Amino acid sequence: MGNQPVRVAILGTGRISDLHAIEYKQNPKGKIVALCDQNVKQAQSQAEAWGVDDPIISDDYREILARPDVDLVEILLPHHLHLQAALDAIAAGKMVSLQKPMCMNMEEADILVEAAESYDRPFKIFENFIFHPPVLKAKELVDAGAIGDPISIRIKSNPGKSK
Ligand SMILES: NC(=O)c1ccc[n+]([C@@H]2O[C@H](COP(=O)([O-])OP(=O)(O)OC[C@H]3O[C@@H](n4cnc5c(N)ncnc54)[C@H](O)[C@@H]3O)[C@@H](O)[C@H]2O)c1
């Protein structure tokens, strides 16, 4: 791979994908080259919004996994697809970043842990987005003593769409 950026495919271009794209847009070590969503129009409009040149677009993630010009996949699909997509990505030899929750239940988790432990390429689970600006703002306010000493925190969010 040398000094070339890691070529990234975004599998699932829904709500959370914008937050993943932010890092790739600012980090020269990675480059989004492909987007996959069953809603192809959405994948296309995300590619445009992120300024991806000449994007590979597909509604079938297996098509993306078969491509030699994709190094890493960000699996941002709904929960019930996580296990199969992750196993398919491992079988395809890609580096894998998988959104939480890793899968649907303990049986699936055991299968995935075993597959990841015997895999010789990077595999990570992307846990909660603790650097999300509203969370950082809440922390700043708590640290500044805005509400005294918290004894517990309950967060209610409304994940509405802006488009
Ligand atoms: N870490 C965090 O803080 C965080 C926050 C939000 C979401 N997530 C996780 O990320 C994942 C995606 O969440 P989201 O909010 O972006 O969901 P979303 O519903 O907005 O996006 C999912 C996308 O997957 C597409 N899709 C569904 N089935 C598909 C298929 N078979 N092939 C191709 N595309 C398909 C949908 O069209 C949709 O665009 C979920 O597992 C969620 O738990 C994590």
Side-chain angles (χ1 to χ4, degrees), residues 22-57:
I22 288 172
E23 176 61 15
Y24 291 114
K25 280 196 284 188
Q26 68 190 13
N27 191 333
K29 292 181 179 169
K31 182 180 179 197
I32 296 172
V33 296
L35 297 85
C36 169
D37 203 289
Q38 62 185 8
N39 180 346
V40 170
K41 276 193 182 152
Q42 181 175 291
Q44 282 163 340
S45 86
Q46 289 293 65
E48 205 173 308
W50 303 337
V52 181
D53 291 331
D54 202 14
I56 301 157
I57 306 264

mmCIF file of all heavy atoms in Angstrom, residues 22-57:
data_model
loop_
_atom_site.group_PDB
_atom_site.id
_atom_site.type_symbol
_atom_site.label_atom_id
_atom_site.label_comp_id
_atom_site.label_asym_id
_atom_site.label_seq_id
_atom_site.Cartn_x
_atom_site.Cartn_y
_atom_site.Cartn_z
ATOM 1 N N ILE A 22 -16.625 12.617 7.896
ATOM 2 C CA ILE A 22 -15.868 13.787 8.397
ATOM 3 C C ILE A 22 -14.391 13.448 8.527
ATOM 4 O O ILE A 22 -13.517 14.183 8.084
ATOM 5 C CB ILE A 22 -16.411 14.239 9.774
ATOM 6 C CG1 ILE A 22 -17.771 14.903 9.622
ATOM 7 C CG2 ILE A 22 -15.429 15.189 10.463
ATOM 8 C CD1 ILE A 22 -18.454 15.205 10.964
ATOM 9 N N GLU A 23 -14.089 12.296 9.130
ATOM 10 C CA GLU A 23 -12.687 11.952 9.361
ATOM 11 C C GLU A 23 -11.954 11.683 8.045
ATOM 12 O O GLU A 23 -10.841 12.151 7.838
ATOM 13 C CB GLU A 23 -12.578 10.747 10.297
ATOM 14 C CG GLU A 23 -11.150 10.247 10.519
ATOM 15 C CD GLU A 23 -10.212 11.281 11.147
ATOM 16 O OE1 GLU A 23 -10.710 12.297 11.679
ATOM 17 O OE2 GLU A 23 -8.984 11.073 11.078
ATOM 18 N N TYR A 24 -12.612 10.944 7.150
ATOM 19 C CA TYR A 24 -11.927 10.644 5.884
ATOM 20 C C TYR A 24 -11.695 11.905 5.065
ATOM 21 O O TYR A 24 -10.722 11.990 4.313
ATOM 22 C CB TYR A 24 -12.708 9.598 5.088
ATOM 23 C CG TYR A 24 -12.656 8.243 5.754
ATOM 24 C CD1 TYR A 24 -13.797 7.656 6.273
ATOM 25 C CD2 TYR A 24 -11.440 7.574 5.891
ATOM 26 C CE1 TYR A 24 -13.740 6.425 6.914
ATOM 27 C CE2 TYR A 24 -11.370 6.346 6.532
ATOM 28 C CZ TYR A 24 -12.529 5.778 7.034
ATOM 29 O OH TYR A 24 -12.452 4.577 7.665
ATOM 30 N N LYS A 25 -12.581 12.878 5.221
ATOM 31 C CA LYS A 25 -12.402 14.117 4.444
ATOM 32 C C LYS A 25 -11.171 14.880 4.922
ATOM 33 O O LYS A 25 -10.522 15.576 4.164
ATOM 34 C CB LYS A 25 -13.652 14.997 4.553
ATOM 35 C CG LYS A 25 -14.758 14.524 3.613
ATOM 36 C CD LYS A 25 -15.831 15.574 3.418
ATOM 37 C CE LYS A 25 -16.723 15.652 4.617
ATOM 38 N NZ LYS A 25 -17.902 16.516 4.435
ATOM 39 N N GLN A 26 -10.852 14.738 6.231
ATOM 40 C CA GLN A 26 -9.749 15.552 6.759
ATOM 41 C C GLN A 26 -8.445 14.763 6.938
ATOM 42 O O GLN A 26 -7.421 15.341 7.257
ATOM 43 C CB GLN A 26 -10.154 16.192 8.092
ATOM 44 C CG GLN A 26 -10.332 15.205 9.222
ATOM 45 C CD GLN A 26 -10.957 15.849 10.443
ATOM 46 O OE1 GLN A 26 -11.481 16.950 10.399
ATOM 47 N NE2 GLN A 26 -10.905 15.158 11.567
ATOM 48 N N ASN A 27 -8.506 13.428 6.746
ATOM 49 C CA ASN A 27 -7.310 12.621 6.994
ATOM 50 C C ASN A 27 -6.750 12.090 5.674
ATOM 51 O O ASN A 27 -7.372 11.278 5.010
ATOM 52 C CB ASN A 27 -7.678 11.448 7.912
ATOM 53 C CG ASN A 27 -6.449 10.730 8.428
ATOM 54 O OD1 ASN A 27 -5.403 10.734 7.783
ATOM 55 N ND2 ASN A 27 -6.577 10.134 9.594
ATOM 56 N N PRO A 28 -5.546 12.546 5.307
ATOM 57 C CA PRO A 28 -4.989 12.135 4.008
ATOM 58 C C PRO A 28 -4.637 10.649 3.938
ATOM 59 O O PRO A 28 -4.346 10.128 2.873
ATOM 60 C CB PRO A 28 -3.729 13.002 3.876
ATOM 61 C CG PRO A 28 -3.389 13.412 5.267
ATOM 62 C CD PRO A 28 -4.667 13.451 6.046
ATOM 63 N N LYS A 29 -4.677 9.965 5.086
ATOM 64 C CA LYS A 29 -4.321 8.530 5.068
ATOM 65 C C LYS A 29 -5.464 7.652 4.572
ATOM 66 O O LYS A 29 -5.278 6.458 4.335
ATOM 67 C CB LYS A 29 -3.894 8.077 6.464
ATOM 68 C CG LYS A 29 -2.596 8.693 6.907
ATOM 69 C CD LYS A 29 -2.200 8.193 8.271
ATOM 70 C CE LYS A 29 -0.886 8.807 8.699
ATOM 71 N NZ LYS A 29 -0.606 8.558 10.110
ATOM 72 N N GLY A 30 -6.658 8.221 4.471
ATOM 73 C CA GLY A 30 -7.793 7.436 4.004
ATOM 74 C C GLY A 30 -8.574 8.206 2.956
ATOM 75 O O GLY A 30 -8.580 9.440 2.949
ATOM 76 N N LYS A 31 -9.221 7.469 2.059
ATOM 77 C CA LYS A 31 -9.948 8.134 0.982
ATOM 78 C C LYS A 31 -11.207 7.319 0.675
ATOM 79 O O LYS A 31 -11.106 6.100 0.421
ATOM 80 C CB LYS A 31 -9.039 8.184 -0.247
ATOM 81 C CG LYS A 31 -9.631 8.871 -1.427
ATOM 82 C CD LYS A 31 -8.647 8.858 -2.577
ATOM 83 C CE LYS A 31 -9.309 9.537 -3.765
ATOM 84 N NZ LYS A 31 -8.657 9.253 -5.004
ATOM 85 N N ILE A 32 -12.358 7.970 0.706
ATOM 86 C CA ILE A 32 -13.582 7.261 0.356
ATOM 87 C C ILE A 32 -13.621 7.100 -1.157
ATOM 88 O O ILE A 32 -13.529 8.081 -1.901
ATOM 89 C CB ILE A 32 -14.823 8.039 0.846
ATOM 90 C CG1 ILE A 32 -14.813 8.113 2.377
ATOM 91 C CG2 ILE A 32 -16.108 7.357 0.355
ATOM 92 C CD1 ILE A 32 -15.883 9.014 2.968
ATOM 93 N N VAL A 33 -13.737 5.849 -1.602
ATOM 94 C CA VAL A 33 -13.789 5.597 -3.047
ATOM 95 C C VAL A 33 -15.104 4.944 -3.465
ATOM 96 O O VAL A 33 -15.426 4.931 -4.652
ATOM 97 C CB VAL A 33 -12.615 4.695 -3.511
ATOM 98 C CG1 VAL A 33 -11.282 5.387 -3.293
ATOM 99 C CG2 VAL A 33 -12.638 3.334 -2.833
ATOM 100 N N ALA A 34 -15.826 4.362 -2.494
ATOM 101 C CA ALA A 34 -17.037 3.617 -2.854
ATOM 102 C C ALA A 34 -18.117 3.806 -1.803
ATOM 103 O O ALA A 34 -17.827 3.975 -0.616
ATOM 104 C CB ALA A 34 -16.704 2.135 -2.992
ATOM 105 N N LEU A 35 -19.361 3.813 -2.267
ATOM 106 C CA LEU A 35 -20.506 3.923 -1.360
ATOM 107 C C LEU A 35 -21.528 2.878 -1.769
ATOM 108 O O LEU A 35 -21.773 2.677 -2.965
ATOM 109 C CB LEU A 35 -21.166 5.306 -1.430
ATOM 110 C CG LEU A 35 -20.341 6.520 -1.021
ATOM 111 C CD1 LEU A 35 -19.512 7.028 -2.192
ATOM 112 C CD2 LEU A 35 -21.236 7.635 -0.526
ATOM 113 N N CYS A 36 -22.131 2.247 -0.779
ATOM 114 C CA CYS A 36 -23.151 1.247 -1.069
ATOM 115 C C CYS A 36 -24.385 1.512 -0.226
ATOM 116 O O CYS A 36 -24.274 1.737 0.981
ATOM 117 C CB CYS A 36 -22.601 -0.141 -0.746
ATOM 118 S SG CYS A 36 -23.870 -1.412 -0.774
ATOM 119 N N ASP A 37 -25.521 1.513 -0.865
ATOM 120 C CA ASP A 37 -26.781 1.597 -0.129
ATOM 121 C C ASP A 37 -27.874 1.010 -1.014
ATOM 122 O O ASP A 37 -27.822 1.164 -2.245
ATOM 123 C CB ASP A 37 -27.124 3.046 0.245
ATOM 124 C CG ASP A 37 -28.070 3.106 1.444
ATOM 125 O OD1 ASP A 37 -29.259 2.745 1.280
ATOM 126 O OD2 ASP A 37 -27.613 3.468 2.543
ATOM 127 N N GLN A 38 -28.859 0.380 -0.371
ATOM 128 C CA GLN A 38 -29.970 -0.140 -1.180
ATOM 129 C C GLN A 38 -30.728 1.022 -1.813
ATOM 130 O O GLN A 38 -31.398 0.856 -2.826
ATOM 131 C CB GLN A 38 -30.889 -1.014 -0.325
ATOM 132 C CG GLN A 38 -31.557 -0.307 0.811
ATOM 133 C CD GLN A 38 -32.370 -1.261 1.706
ATOM 134 O OE1 GLN A 38 -32.301 -2.472 1.536
ATOM 135 N NE2 GLN A 38 -33.113 -0.715 2.636
ATOM 136 N N ASN A 39 -30.596 2.180 -1.217
ATOM 137 C CA ASN A 39 -31.137 3.403 -1.791
ATOM 138 C C ASN A 39 -30.002 4.099 -2.567
ATOM 139 O O ASN A 39 -29.226 4.881 -2.011
ATOM 140 C CB ASN A 39 -31.665 4.295 -0.659
ATOM 141 C CG ASN A 39 -32.246 5.586 -1.165
ATOM 142 O OD1 ASN A 39 -32.044 5.953 -2.321
ATOM 143 N ND2 ASN A 39 -32.963 6.276 -0.311
ATOM 144 N N VAL A 40 -29.905 3.775 -3.834
ATOM 145 C CA VAL A 40 -28.772 4.247 -4.639
ATOM 146 C C VAL A 40 -28.735 5.772 -4.741
ATOM 147 O O VAL A 40 -27.667 6.385 -4.707
ATOM 148 C CB VAL A 40 -28.825 3.606 -6.051
ATOM 149 C CG1 VAL A 40 -27.836 4.242 -6.992
ATOM 150 C CG2 VAL A 40 -28.536 2.125 -5.947
ATOM 151 N N LYS A 41 -29.928 6.384 -4.796
ATOM 152 C CA LYS A 41 -29.962 7.851 -4.895
ATOM 153 C C LYS A 41 -29.322 8.481 -3.669
ATOM 154 O O LYS A 41 -28.620 9.487 -3.751
ATOM 155 C CB LYS A 41 -31.414 8.329 -5.018
ATOM 156 C CG LYS A 41 -31.917 8.271 -6.425
ATOM 157 C CD LYS A 41 -33.220 9.039 -6.556
ATOM 158 C CE LYS A 41 -33.736 8.927 -7.975
ATOM 159 N NZ LYS A 41 -35.173 9.038 -8.073
ATOM 160 N N GLN A 42 -29.576 7.867 -2.528
ATOM 161 C CA GLN A 42 -28.979 8.406 -1.299
ATOM 162 C C GLN A 42 -27.458 8.254 -1.320
ATOM 163 O O GLN A 42 -26.727 9.179 -0.943
ATOM 164 C CB GLN A 42 -29.566 7.659 -0.099
ATOM 165 C CG GLN A 42 -29.023 8.160 1.223
ATOM 166 C CD GLN A 42 -29.719 7.468 2.359
ATOM 167 O OE1 GLN A 42 -30.907 7.713 2.588
ATOM 168 N NE2 GLN A 42 -29.020 6.607 3.069
ATOM 169 N N ALA A 43 -26.994 7.105 -1.784
ATOM 170 C CA ALA A 43 -25.539 6.903 -1.883
ATOM 171 C C ALA A 43 -24.938 7.948 -2.817
ATOM 172 O O ALA A 43 -23.888 8.536 -2.527
ATOM 173 C CB ALA A 43 -25.235 5.492 -2.378
ATOM 174 N N GLN A 44 -25.625 8.200 -3.916
ATOM 175 C CA GLN A 44 -25.104 9.193 -4.868
ATOM 176 C C GLN A 44 -25.078 10.582 -4.250
ATOM 177 O O GLN A 44 -24.119 11.336 -4.408
ATOM 178 C CB GLN A 44 -25.974 9.201 -6.134
ATOM 179 C CG GLN A 44 -25.650 8.039 -7.046
ATOM 180 C CD GLN A 44 -26.722 7.772 -8.090
ATOM 181 O OE1 GLN A 44 -27.876 8.193 -7.926
ATOM 182 N NE2 GLN A 44 -26.373 7.057 -9.128
ATOM 183 N N SER A 45 -26.142 10.928 -3.512
ATOM 184 C CA SER A 45 -26.159 12.286 -2.965
ATOM 185 C C SER A 45 -25.147 12.433 -1.824
ATOM 186 O O SER A 45 -24.544 13.499 -1.653
ATOM 187 C CB SER A 45 -27.576 12.710 -2.557
ATOM 188 O OG SER A 45 -27.866 12.304 -1.263
ATOM 189 N N GLN A 46 -24.889 11.355 -1.100
ATOM 190 C CA GLN A 46 -23.833 11.437 -0.078
ATOM 191 C C GLN A 46 -22.459 11.595 -0.742
ATOM 192 O O GLN A 46 -21.636 12.386 -0.283
ATOM 193 C CB GLN A 46 -23.830 10.187 0.820
ATOM 194 C CG GLN A 46 -25.012 10.092 1.770
ATOM 195 C CD GLN A 46 -24.979 11.177 2.844
ATOM 196 O OE1 GLN A 46 -25.084 12.358 2.524
ATOM 197 N NE2 GLN A 46 -24.857 10.805 4.098
ATOM 198 N N ALA A 47 -22.239 10.866 -1.824
ATOM 199 C CA ALA A 47 -20.952 10.985 -2.532
ATOM 200 C C ALA A 47 -20.737 12.434 -2.963
ATOM 201 O O ALA A 47 -19.637 12.995 -2.842
ATOM 202 C CB ALA A 47 -20.929 10.049 -3.737
ATOM 203 N N GLU A 48 -21.812 13.034 -3.438
ATOM 204 C CA GLU A 48 -21.726 14.428 -3.881
ATOM 205 C C GLU A 48 -21.458 15.355 -2.689
ATOM 206 O O GLU A 48 -20.578 16.213 -2.730
ATOM 207 C CB GLU A 48 -23.053 14.802 -4.536
ATOM 208 C CG GLU A 48 -22.936 15.923 -5.526
ATOM 209 C CD GLU A 48 -24.263 16.124 -6.249
ATOM 210 O OE1 GLU A 48 -24.803 15.137 -6.781
ATOM 211 O OE2 GLU A 48 -24.749 17.260 -6.233
ATOM 212 N N ALA A 49 -22.208 15.140 -1.614
ATOM 213 C CA ALA A 49 -22.047 15.993 -0.421
ATOM 214 C C ALA A 49 -20.641 15.887 0.162
ATOM 215 O O ALA A 49 -20.107 16.866 0.687
ATOM 216 C CB ALA A 49 -23.085 15.587 0.635
ATOM 217 N N TRP A 50 -20.040 14.707 0.086
ATOM 218 C CA TRP A 50 -18.696 14.525 0.642
ATOM 219 C C TRP A 50 -17.599 14.866 -0.362
ATOM 220 O O TRP A 50 -16.409 14.765 -0.042
ATOM 221 C CB TRP A 50 -18.489 13.075 1.114
ATOM 222 C CG TRP A 50 -19.484 12.595 2.118
ATOM 223 C CD1 TRP A 50 -20.249 13.355 2.969
ATOM 224 C CD2 TRP A 50 -19.851 11.227 2.378
ATOM 225 N NE1 TRP A 50 -21.062 12.536 3.728
ATOM 226 C CE2 TRP A 50 -20.843 11.236 3.392
ATOM 227 C CE3 TRP A 50 -19.454 10.002 1.853
ATOM 228 C CZ2 TRP A 50 -21.424 10.066 3.890
ATOM 229 C CZ3 TRP A 50 -20.017 8.843 2.345
ATOM 230 C CH2 TRP A 50 -20.990 8.876 3.360
ATOM 231 N N GLY A 51 -17.983 15.191 -1.585
ATOM 232 C CA GLY A 51 -16.985 15.558 -2.601
ATOM 233 C C GLY A 51 -16.147 14.380 -3.056
ATOM 234 O O GLY A 51 -14.947 14.535 -3.313
ATOM 235 N N VAL A 52 -16.762 13.195 -3.158
ATOM 236 C CA VAL A 52 -16.016 12.020 -3.625
ATOM 237 C C VAL A 52 -15.921 12.060 -5.151
ATOM 238 O O VAL A 52 -16.942 12.077 -5.839
ATOM 239 C CB VAL A 52 -16.725 10.703 -3.200
ATOM 240 C CG1 VAL A 52 -15.938 9.489 -3.670
ATOM 241 C CG2 VAL A 52 -16.937 10.668 -1.688
ATOM 242 N N ASP A 53 -14.667 12.058 -5.644
ATOM 243 C CA ASP A 53 -14.475 12.087 -7.107
ATOM 244 C C ASP A 53 -14.729 10.710 -7.691
ATOM 245 O O ASP A 53 -14.192 9.717 -7.192
ATOM 246 C CB ASP A 53 -13.021 12.487 -7.445
ATOM 247 C CG ASP A 53 -12.774 13.933 -7.095
ATOM 248 O OD1 ASP A 53 -13.731 14.720 -7.137
ATOM 249 O OD2 ASP A 53 -11.616 14.254 -6.758
ATOM 250 N N ASP A 54 -15.497 10.665 -8.759
ATOM 251 C CA ASP A 54 -15.686 9.432 -9.504
ATOM 252 C C ASP A 54 -16.014 8.227 -8.598
ATOM 253 O O ASP A 54 -15.312 7.204 -8.617
ATOM 254 C CB ASP A 54 -14.385 9.156 -10.293
ATOM 255 C CG ASP A 54 -14.650 8.246 -11.472
ATOM 256 O OD1 ASP A 54 -15.821 8.066 -11.822
ATOM 257 O OD2 ASP A 54 -13.665 7.679 -11.996
ATOM 258 N N PRO A 55 -17.046 8.351 -7.772
ATOM 259 C CA PRO A 55 -17.320 7.292 -6.784
ATOM 260 C C PRO A 55 -17.812 5.998 -7.415
ATOM 261 O O PRO A 55 -18.500 6.013 -8.432
ATOM 262 C CB PRO A 55 -18.441 7.909 -5.930
ATOM 263 C CG PRO A 55 -19.128 8.867 -6.846
ATOM 264 C CD PRO A 55 -18.060 9.415 -7.758
ATOM 265 N N ILE A 56 -17.467 4.892 -6.793
ATOM 266 C CA ILE A 56 -18.058 3.599 -7.137
ATOM 267 C C ILE A 56 -19.342 3.519 -6.316
ATOM 268 O O ILE A 56 -19.302 3.683 -5.089
ATOM 269 C CB ILE A 56 -17.115 2.447 -6.712
ATOM 270 C CG1 ILE A 56 -15.760 2.562 -7.392
ATOM 271 C CG2 ILE A 56 -17.785 1.101 -6.963
ATOM 272 C CD1 ILE A 56 -14.644 1.856 -6.640
ATOM 273 N N ILE A 57 -20.468 3.304 -6.963
ATOM 274 C CA ILE A 57 -21.748 3.253 -6.249
ATOM 275 C C ILE A 57 -22.399 1.904 -6.539
ATOM 276 O O ILE A 57 -22.403 1.449 -7.681
ATOM 277 C CB ILE A 57 -22.707 4.369 -6.738
ATOM 278 C CG1 ILE A 57 -22.056 5.741 -6.648
ATOM 279 C CG2 ILE A 57 -24.052 4.292 -6.013
ATOM 280 C CD1 ILE A 57 -22.340 6.553 -5.442
#
